[in-house]
Amino acid sequence: MKVAFVIPSLTNNGPNVFTLNLVNSLIDSQLFINSEICVFFMNATNKEQLNFPVKTSKLNIRNTIKLLDFDIIHSTMFKADCLSALLRIFSSNKNKFIAGIHNEIEEDLAFIYGKYKGYFFSKIWLTALNLIGCIVVSSPQMNTYYDRKLSKNTYREVIPYGIKLRSEEEKVIPSESEALAKLRNNYTVIGTCGLLIERKNYELLIQFLSLNPDVCVVIVGDGPNKKNLLLLAIKYNVEDRLCILGFKSNSISYYKYFDIFALTSYSEGFGLAMLEALGQGIPTLLSDLPIYKDFFDESSVGLFDPYDIHSFEKAFNKIILSKEHYSNSALGTFKKYFSASEMANKHMSFYNRRVKKI
């Protein structure tokens, strides 16, 4: 069996990292050899790129047509899904096409582009998914979400995310290491990792700092909302307890400075940074979103309403009182649901079933 993964670019971001994790897991589990998988990307990037263990090719007219020679075409994200939908129209083998969905499309695009532009793009994306006719989602809740959004003829398969735990990849810059160690000696460190955009709701963490002088926040990430976050910290007079480190390819190396990990998003696909925190046994504060209800409860993480600072404070205090319990629960939850080998086996089984239908 030969599988083509189609992604928008090789940029180091969540959905592309998921594709990298899946490719690595399929190879590590000896379900494929490297030559049986190829990754195709649509756009070059000046940003830091992911290194896949298989051949990667920028799409052009010639190799786009050659995609049809693969047994499975697994696309991810808007541009890739639109291309896959167009290819399926002209393909005689309809069952080889699969789209991996990592977010709640309408809500996320509204956050990124605004209500009207987001609505327009979401309708195009949902139309493309209906044309592809087969999607993989990460949770039963997301399956229910797309049951309302997609045609009844569009098949959905639920396969939870899985990751291979990374160790410290490279040393933290000495000046940063010294500063972070000093913060941890003086404060309880709430850490997080992600793109600085409004949907991530990092404003909640800054507001929390204004109410809790014994806490500091460390964010590993960069993005368009950075200036607003810094201005908000100045407004609340907490800029000395907010540390925004910028993008780090070795983000896992910074987790050792976190006492608690926080995912504060208003909506989310499935936070890969959060999964890595769980795998490190870091007590976790988690937005109480429907997508997580099949995997987490109050005994495993600190759940809170992302719109309510007092709800966040209550969850934080609960974890502080039982840090050892929530550390053990984080690691136990990771092992139970989110192993890379389990994700690989389920994808392989799904691919085999799709191939047999062709």
Side-chain angles (χ1 to χ4, degrees):
M1 184 191 304
K2 296 193 69 175
V3 178
F5 289 93
V6 184
I7 55 180
S9 70
L10 298 179
T11 302
N12 189 335
N13 60 33
N16 292 340
V17 169
F18 168 79
T19 300
L20 174 61
N21 286 336
L22 178 55
V23 170
N24 282 331
S25 300
L26 291 169
I27 293 172
D28 290 345
S29 299
Q30 298 183 335
L31 299 171
F32 286 86
I33 59 175
N34 298 56
S35 61
E36 294 175 325
I37 296 175
C38 187
V39 173
F40 293 88
F41 61 97
M42 304 179 72
N43 300 315
T45 178
N46 293 324
K47 299 179 180 179
E48 177 156 350
Q49 298 185 20
L50 297 172
N51 293 314
F52 284 82
V54 298
K55 181 181 178 181
T56 59
S57 299
K58 187 177 184 300
L59 284 168
N60 54 44
I61 294 176
R62 179 177 297 179
N63 62 16
T64 296
I65 300 301
K66 286 189 175 182
L67 279 174
L68 297 175
D69 295 334
F70 284 81
D71 299 300
I72 293 291
I73 301 171
H74 190 151
S75 61
T76 297
M77 296 300 289
F78 175 77
K79 290 182 180 180
D81 289 342
C82 288
L83 174 63
S84 188
L86 288 173
L87 287 173
R88 188 176 185 269
I89 293 173
F90 300 103
S91 173
S92 59
N93 296 328
K94 306 296 186 184
N95 290 309
K96 68 169 64 182
F97 294 87
I98 298 170
I101 300 299
H102 305 269
N103 59 335
E104 295 179 346
I105 286 173
E106 289 187 343
E107 288 76 2
D108 283 3
L109 293 186
F111 269 112
I112 295 170
Y113 297 112
K115 180 179 178 181
Y116 298 107
K117 193 174 180 180
Y119 177 83
F120 174 74
F121 282 119
S122 70
K123 292 306 177 186
I124 295 175
W125 197 348
L126 291 169
T127 298
L129 295 177
N130 278 326
L131 287 171
I132 291 170
C134 178
I135 69 172
V136 177
V137 295
S138 57
S139 72
Q141 185 280 330
M142 190 171 283
N143 188 35
T144 301
Y145 173 89
Y146 282 103
D147 185 50
R148 301 190 301 267
K149 304 294 181 181
L150 297 175
S151 163
K152 300 299 181 183
N153 295 324
T154 299
Y155 179 81
R156 298 178 305 281
E157 181 84 358
V158 178
I159 303 178
Y161 279 8
I163 63 169
K164 181 180 180 180
L165 286 179
R166 297 185 293 167
S167 57
E168 184 170 317
E169 296 174 326
E170 56 185 85
K171 296 295 182 182
V172 174
I173 298 170
S175 59
E176 292 180 342
S177 178
E178 182 180 346
L180 292 170
K182 184 177 180 180
L183 284 174
R184 197 172 189 193
N185 285 334
N186 294 319
Y187 302 102
T188 297
V189 179
I190 299 177
T192 191
C193 178
L195 186 63
L196 306 188
I197 55 177
E198 289 184 20
R199 178 173 61 82
K200 295 292 185 178
N201 190 28
Y202 293 139
E203 291 83 356
L204 183 73
L205 295 176
I206 297 173
Q207 186 181 358
F208 184 70
L209 289 180
S210 70
L211 303 175
N212 294 270
D214 298 326
V215 176
C216 73
V217 167
V218 174
I219 303 176
V220 181
D222 204 348
N225 206 34
K226 180 178 179 179
K227 182 178 179 181
N228 291 335
L229 294 174
L230 293 173
L231 289 173
L232 187 63
I234 292 171
K235 175 183 176 180
Y236 283 118
N237 196 29
V238 297
E239 62 270 28
D240 59 328
R241 290 186 285 124
L242 172 66
C243 180
I244 300 179
L245 293 169
F247 172 80
K248 303 289 181 181
S249 60
N250 61 325
S251 58
I252 194 69
S253 303
Y254 291 80
Y255 283 35
K256 62 188 176 185
Y257 299 103
F258 298 172
D259 294 300
I260 294 172
F261 185 91
L263 188 150
T264 55
S265 302
Y266 293 119
S267 69
E268 194 66 66
F270 224 99
L272 294 178
M274 178 266 292
L275 295 185
E276 290 194 319
L278 293 173
Q280 298 290 327
I282 303 174
T284 298
L285 288 161
L286 186 62
S287 289
D288 192 6
L289 303 177
I291 189 173
Y292 297 131
K293 290 188 181 297
D294 296 290
F295 306 103
F296 302 100
D297 58 29
E298 293 285 355
S299 68
S300 57
V301 296
L303 293 170
F304 63 91
D305 179 352
Y307 295 92
D308 186 349
I309 185 65
H310 300 294
S311 175
F312 182 86
E313 185 169 34
K314 181 180 178 181
F316 172 84
N317 289 334
K318 184 181 70 170
I319 282 186
I320 287 296
L321 291 174
S322 305
K323 280 188 68 178
E324 184 176 357
H325 165 77
Y326 283 103
S327 175
N328 293 333
S329 294
L331 187 56
T333 301
F334 176 85
K335 291 178 178 179
K336 181 177 180 181
Y337 293 114
F338 305 115
S339 74
S341 60
E342 185 69 9
M343 176 183 67
N345 288 330
K346 288 182 177 179
H347 274 85
M348 185 65 187
S349 174
F350 183 47
Y351 292 160
N352 279 326
R353 282 183 276 133
R354 298 301 294 179
V355 167
K356 287 177 182 179
K357 286 186 176 183
I358 293 174

